[in-house]
Amino acid sequence: MKKIYVLDTNVLLQDPLAIFSFQDNEIVIPAVVLEEVDSKKRYMDEIGRNARHVARLLDSFRQLGQLHQGVLLQTGGFFRVELNHSSLNQLQKQFHEMTNDNRILAVALNLQEEENQTPDPRPVILVSKDALMRVKADALGLTAEDFLSDRVVREYSSIYPGYLKLLVPSNVIQAFYANRRLPLSLHFPNRAFYPHQFLILKDEINPSASAIGKVDADCKQLEMLVADDDPMWGVKARNAQQRMGTDLLLRDDIPLVTMTGKAGTGKTLLALAAGLFQIEDMQKYKKLLVARPIVPMGKDIGYLPGEKEEKLRPWMQPIYDNLEYLFNTKKPGDLDKILAGMGSIQVEALTYIRGRSIPGQFIIIDEAQNLTKHEVKTILTRVGEGSKIVLVGDPEQIDHPYLDESNNGLTYVVEMFKDQKLAGHIKLEKGERSVLAQLAADIL
């Protein structure tokens, strides 16, 4: 049976192409949604870009017919803008204020009553990213759903971790150490692996005996890790996942590395140490470029005084904290003198990355979980020849109002690139910042 989907504004602002996600059903946009989209189109951020995209898309629909009467989409769906059903009579007993949300609810409720008077009523479903909007709809007897088509994975727990634990006979581990490689088809004939996936082999009789290897780009051999135990700028891997991350960061054949994990697992510090090691010691790259999105945690502090560098300093302070640790600075201001003298380290906001081409650099994008799919695509398409880019972040700590752990740009890249030869991923599990930081990450 076909359905009627009433879309909330936040669905369109999250995904301008959401209209095409409902197959051959009827899609209804209340007139007040157009007003809300119009109020956002002047924003100079992702929300504004999406609002302008929606406006252009709806304008193109006018060539198909009158929008208030409805037009047939290429997907087989039927789209229309609802101008009527704006009466709030049905809601006045429960919700007295004439808010935009209540107008949208009124459209869905009146459509449902109209359908109930027909011989074969169609279900009316309100689609909203706003949890309270869905709660209000449920209180009114309306069916409400979250918009899930933009999610890369249904649940964050199912995201690709980058490694796999396998129980094997002791002779397999011995053969791996002896030959420094292992044919996967011979020892794991019924298993499929991803390029650059890590395997933790444990002896099925004596679990304390183990080995860590990496699947090669063609998924034919299990290789030894290239990373040794020597510290990079005073930083040494403290656990298995950090060893895997270090291996990915030091490999020349993997230009895209993604690292996820809770706060304190060492994502940013490892990436910075690997970048400095390869730039200053090995001279593989010309420059270290570190950037992060400008998304506040909590209430925005407003405009900041000073030049561009002074304005960015509070946002970039987590990066400088890690650099101070790596350079072992003792006094305030020492780091600024070091960076000015080196000239090979650039700390930027992602605001300035559009339109650039970045060849021969080691690029670190911190807090990448606050990026949208469009933004992360923009960033990756800036990477020039001879560059390596590392995306790090914690999808469980998102400050962006329209993103969650299942639809953000970092999760998107992890899932879309997991079967590509040019990319590698690892999820760091154990916190190394402090015992308190690990406990807070686990129980709060």
Side-chain angles (χ1 to χ4, degrees):
M1 177 184 293
K2 292 187 177 182
K3 304 178 180 68
I4 299 177
Y5 288 97
V6 179
L7 305 191
D8 194 0
T9 312
N10 47 50
V11 175
L12 298 176
L13 294 179
Q14 165 66 23
D15 183 3
L17 301 179
I19 294 171
F20 301 108
S21 301
F22 297 92
Q23 300 176 341
D24 59 348
N25 296 291
E26 182 174 343
I27 304 100
V28 176
I29 292 183
V32 67
V33 169
L34 299 182
E35 296 179 9
E36 289 192 323
V37 170
D38 183 66
S39 68
K40 302 290 192 298
K41 68 182 183 183
R42 293 174 181 83
Y43 289 10
M44 301 306 295
D45 56 9
E46 184 74 4
I47 301 301
R49 188 199 74 87
N50 288 347
R52 293 188 291 274
H53 192 165
V54 170
R56 291 191 296 268
L57 183 63
L58 297 183
D59 185 50
S60 68
F61 287 172
R62 294 193 304 114
Q63 301 177 6
L64 304 176
Q66 297 291 323
L67 296 188
H68 68 280
Q69 294 179 352
V71 297
L72 189 64
L73 303 178
Q74 294 179 346
T75 57
F78 187 76
F79 170 82
R80 66 187 177 96
V81 175
E82 182 55 69
L83 301 177
N84 300 316
H85 300 93
S86 60
S87 173
L88 294 175
N89 293 335
Q90 301 295 327
L91 278 77
Q92 286 179 347
K93 293 181 180 179
Q94 293 86 3
F95 307 112
H96 303 287
E97 293 187 38
M98 194 178 296
T99 64
N100 289 344
D101 282 356
N102 288 345
R103 289 185 180 277
I104 296 171
L105 287 169
V107 169
L109 189 60
N110 289 329
L111 282 173
Q112 180 174 270
E113 290 198 351
E114 188 177 89
E115 282 296 315
N116 288 339
Q117 296 173 6
T118 63
D120 189 17
R122 294 173 295 174
V124 176
I125 301 171
L126 175 68
V127 183
S128 175
K129 300 293 294 181
D130 186 347
L132 285 180
M133 186 72 156
R134 299 195 298 269
V135 171
K136 291 169 70 174
D138 185 73
L140 293 168
L142 284 168
T143 302
E145 296 179 357
D146 191 2
F147 181 66
L148 301 178
S149 296
D150 63 334
R151 293 193 173 187
V152 186
V153 289
R154 286 291 179 179
E155 299 293 339
Y156 174 64
S157 58
S158 63
I159 189 175
Y160 172 59
Y163 70 94
L164 186 63
K165 295 181 180 179
L166 296 175
L167 293 176
V168 296
S170 58
N171 64 316
V172 174
I173 296 177
Q174 294 170 4
F176 181 54
Y177 278 119
N179 302 321
R180 301 188 64 80
R181 60 182 56 248
L182 206 64
L184 293 173
S185 59
L186 177 63
H187 296 280
F188 310 102
N190 300 319
R191 277 191 174 272
F193 299 98
Y194 293 110
H196 310 303
Q197 184 178 20
F198 293 94
L199 300 184
I200 300 177
L201 306 180
K202 286 186 173 291
D203 190 328
E204 57 189 7
I205 298 177
N206 179 21
S208 61
S210 63
I212 300 177
K214 187 187 73 66
V215 176
D216 67 1
D218 297 320
C219 298
K220 294 181 179 179
Q221 299 276 345
L222 185 68
E223 309 171 330
M224 298 292 289
L225 304 189
V226 298
D228 52 31
D229 292 331
D230 294 333
M232 305 174 300
W233 279 62
V235 175
K236 180 179 178 181
R238 294 185 177 182
N239 56 59
Q241 285 75 29
Q242 285 191 355
R243 283 188 61 196
M244 299 172 193
T246 304
D247 186 83
L248 293 176
L249 291 169
L250 295 179
R251 285 187 179 266
D252 299 333
D253 59 335
I254 306 178
L256 170 61
V257 175
T258 51
M259 298 173 67
T260 61
K262 295 179 181 179
T265 50
K267 305 178 296 295
T268 306
L269 185 62
L270 273 180
L272 285 170
L276 288 170
F277 176 69
Q278 294 176 86
I279 291 167
E280 298 298 327
D281 298 356
M282 302 182 69
Q283 298 184 345
K284 288 184 180 179
Y285 305 97
K286 297 182 296 184
K287 186 183 292 186
L288 173 65
L289 173 61
V290 188
R292 70 198 310 258
I294 303 300
V295 179
M297 183 185 73
K299 187 171 182 178
D300 197 345
I301 59 176
Y303 290 102
L304 297 173
E307 300 297 327
K308 184 186 79 169
E309 288 75 15
E310 296 173 290
K311 292 178 184 291
L312 290 178
R313 187 61 184 246
W315 300 103
M316 301 294 118
Q317 191 58 45
I319 303 298
Y320 289 109
D321 291 342
N322 282 288
L323 289 174
E324 286 177 352
Y325 175 82
L326 291 171
F327 285 104
N328 195 26
T329 57
K330 302 298 183 181
K331 300 178 182 178
D334 285 354
L335 179 63
D336 293 330
K337 296 177 184 178
I338 293 173
L339 297 182
M342 292 179 63
S344 59
I345 301 177
Q346 181 180 359
V347 181
E348 277 281 13
L350 286 176
T351 309
Y352 306 102
I353 203 169
R354 184 184 294 274
R356 296 180 61 182
S357 180
I358 311 174
Q361 297 187 27
F362 192 96
I363 309 163
I364 300 173
I365 308 299
D366 195 27
E367 301 292 337
Q369 77 276 6
N370 284 317
L371 298 172
T372 65
K373 296 177 184 179
H374 173 76
E375 288 170 335
V376 82
K377 178 182 178 180
T378 300
I379 293 166
L380 292 181
T381 54
R382 301 299 99 204
V383 180
E385 194 69 32
S387 286
K388 186 184 187 84
I389 185 166
V390 183
L391 303 178
V392 299
D394 179 8
E396 296 185 74
Q397 289 190 341
I398 292 180
D399 304 308
H400 194 289
Y402 287 99
L403 298 179
D404 60 34
E405 57 193 15
S406 300
N407 68 3
N408 64 85
L410 179 56
T411 300
Y412 182 56
V413 173
V414 170
E415 286 297 313
M416 297 302 292
F417 277 87
K418 64 184 179 183
D419 55 356
Q420 298 297 317
K421 297 180 179 180
L422 297 180
H425 169 69
I426 188 62
K427 179 182 179 183
L428 303 184
E429 301 285 357
K430 186 179 179 182
E432 298 291 353
R433 180 174 291 161
S434 68
V435 176
L436 175 59
Q438 177 63 27
L439 183 62
D442 290 338
I443 71 174
L444 295 182

